[in-house]
Amino acid sequence: MPADDVSVSSAERTAPEERLLNLVVALMATDQGLTKDTILGSVSGYREQMEAGASKDALEKMFERDKENLRGLGVPIETIGDRLEPDDLRQARYRVPTAEYALPDEITFTPAEVAVLNLAGSVWGEESLSAPARSGLRKIRSLGIAVDEPIIGYAPRISLHGTAFAPLQRAIEQARVATFPYLKPGEENPRTRTIRPLALVEYEARWHVYGIDVDAAAERTFLLSRIVGDVKITRTSFDQALRAGAGERALAGLEDLARRQSALLEVHPGTEASLRLQRRGTAEVQGIRVPFVDVHIFADELASYGPEVRVVDPPQLRDQVIRRLRAALAANGGAR
């Protein structure tokens, strides 16, 4: 999300997750890479904001956050600088090396497996390419940049966010108070939250709504995945000026929280866990230290890696991961 809260601008025409997809496909489409100016002026999701008058500084911040989000998801974005002045990134080009996604020759598929893959791939047909995406692709080609592979699937038919996203987005645009049932970890029953929603932000590949909790009379951030029922938009309105800079404040708060808490992890090299976690952490003698925002969400992720990762510290995170692993073992017929 950009720093000036363009997520709620009436000029926005491309969903944030589609913008990320557009960026990945554009960066995979050429070996020579794209400059930042080309990306901001050509790739759907950035171009609309530029044409609507968004500042270049805000768009560049959006691009930097998008790069980090994609790298956190395991997408290898390569920066190609000037060989004579490698520290000067003003004319740097960015690309996703397609070799990173090539399957080894020894991997083969049975006819049944190929059928399943074809079925999954049919979701991303040529007809799913949105009009803004087609326009962006034509613009990239018009600049003389060779596109090495056909670009498809800019606008997938799969929705990548939950049912709470759309009504919250409407509530933000209409500047109206919204209510929803919210279930926190460790609680048996959800509690109804009443907020003045100010921005929808994505952080570490998860969507949050940021706003003013009416009951607490304070700014709060809520995970969309913990909204367990319908979002209701009330008739109560609030000052639209409250939305100014809300996206920036939300992301700054999440980043500050991540800086204040981190985990020391031992990770097996060459594994998926190593690929994903090393991009977000810093090396230490015993392993890597990775910042995190929510202990329960991070425990879910770490447990999904199984034996590839071990939590050294903090104990609370280690206990949560062990609890999930034991539950998975019990659910699959193993002993506790």
Side-chain angles (χ1 to χ4, degrees):
M1 302 294 292
D4 59 353
D5 195 25
V6 295
S7 64
V8 297
S9 168
S10 60
E12 177 74 32
R13 290 293 181 269
T14 305
E17 72 278 7
E18 184 183 342
R19 183 183 71 242
L20 291 175
L21 180 61
N22 292 347
L23 178 59
V24 171
V25 178
L27 295 181
M28 290 181 67
T30 177
D31 282 337
Q32 71 185 72
L34 303 175
T35 65
K36 187 182 298 184
D37 286 345
T38 298
I39 291 168
L40 299 183
S42 304
V43 175
S44 179
Y46 302 101
R47 187 183 69 255
E48 292 86 350
Q49 296 296 335
M50 177 175 286
E51 292 173 349
S55 69
K56 186 175 181 180
D57 181 62
L59 290 173
E60 287 183 346
K61 288 181 179 179
M62 176 196 288
F63 172 64
E64 293 301 322
R65 287 195 179 102
D66 285 350
K67 278 197 305 175
E68 291 308 307
N69 284 333
L70 290 172
R71 283 169 173 160
L73 292 170
V75 178
I77 298 179
E78 183 179 35
T79 303
I80 307 171
D82 189 328
R83 286 180 295 179
L84 299 178
E85 296 183 64
D87 294 331
D88 184 0
L89 298 180
R90 287 174 296 180
Q91 293 300 316
R93 293 178 175 271
Y94 303 89
R95 69 175 183 178
V96 174
T98 54
E100 295 283 343
Y101 294 98
L103 288 174
D105 293 337
E106 61 269 19
I107 294 181
T108 59
F109 298 101
T110 67
E113 290 169 337
V114 171
V116 172
L117 291 172
N118 284 333
L119 180 61
S122 67
V123 176
W124 304 84
E126 288 274 6
E127 60 273 16
S128 71
L129 188 63
S130 65
R134 291 181 188 275
S135 176
L137 177 56
R138 286 195 298 269
K139 195 165 186 178
I140 289 173
R141 283 172 169 154
S142 72
L143 294 172
I145 299 172
V147 175
D148 302 309
E149 296 184 14
I151 297 179
I152 61 173
Y154 269 78
R157 300 176 212 153
I158 298 175
S159 175
L160 299 182
H161 42 62
T163 57
F165 187 97
L168 285 170
Q169 189 173 47
R170 288 197 300 272
I172 292 170
E173 292 170 350
Q174 298 169 8
R176 292 186 181 275
V177 171
T179 67
F180 50 79
Y182 193 77
L183 183 62
K184 294 180 64 176
E187 296 184 356
E188 295 184 0
N189 299 306
R191 288 193 294 161
T192 298
R193 303 285 186 157
T194 303
I195 71 166
R196 300 183 184 100
L198 305 179
L200 286 161
V201 296
E202 188 224 11
Y203 187 78
E204 293 184 347
R206 294 176 180 86
W207 284 99
H208 305 71
V209 60
Y210 172 79
I212 300 172
D213 187 316
V214 174
D215 297 325
E219 294 182 343
R220 294 286 188 269
T221 303
F222 301 93
L223 265 169
L224 264 60
S225 61
R226 289 181 181 157
I227 297 176
V228 293
D230 294 337
V231 174
K232 297 180 180 179
I233 303 175
T234 73
R235 296 184 177 181
T236 305
S237 60
F238 59 86
D239 186 359
Q240 295 186 17
L242 293 172
R243 301 182 312 197
E248 183 179 26
R249 296 197 302 276
L251 287 170
L254 292 168
E255 289 167 353
D256 180 64
L257 179 59
R259 280 192 295 268
R260 289 187 281 110
Q261 57 187 18
S262 62
L264 180 60
L265 309 173
E266 290 181 347
V267 184
H268 287 286
T271 61
E272 179 186 0
S274 175
L275 174 65
R276 292 181 179 274
L277 295 171
Q278 283 182 349
R279 296 180 185 278
R280 290 147 49 189
T282 55
E284 293 202 359
V285 175
Q286 192 172 353
I288 58 174
R289 186 164 293 278
V290 181
F292 64 92
V293 170
D294 186 286
V295 66
H296 298 280
I297 289 177
F298 197 36
D300 288 342
E301 178 186 355
L302 296 180
S304 72
Y305 298 133
E308 296 178 2
V309 60
R310 186 178 79 87
V311 180
V312 179
D313 188 66
Q316 180 189 11
L317 176 62
R318 182 172 60 245
D319 293 343
Q320 290 293 333
V321 172
I322 292 173
R323 180 180 301 175
R324 285 158 175 75
L325 293 174
R326 285 176 173 169
L329 180 63
N332 288 277
R336 288 184 178 273

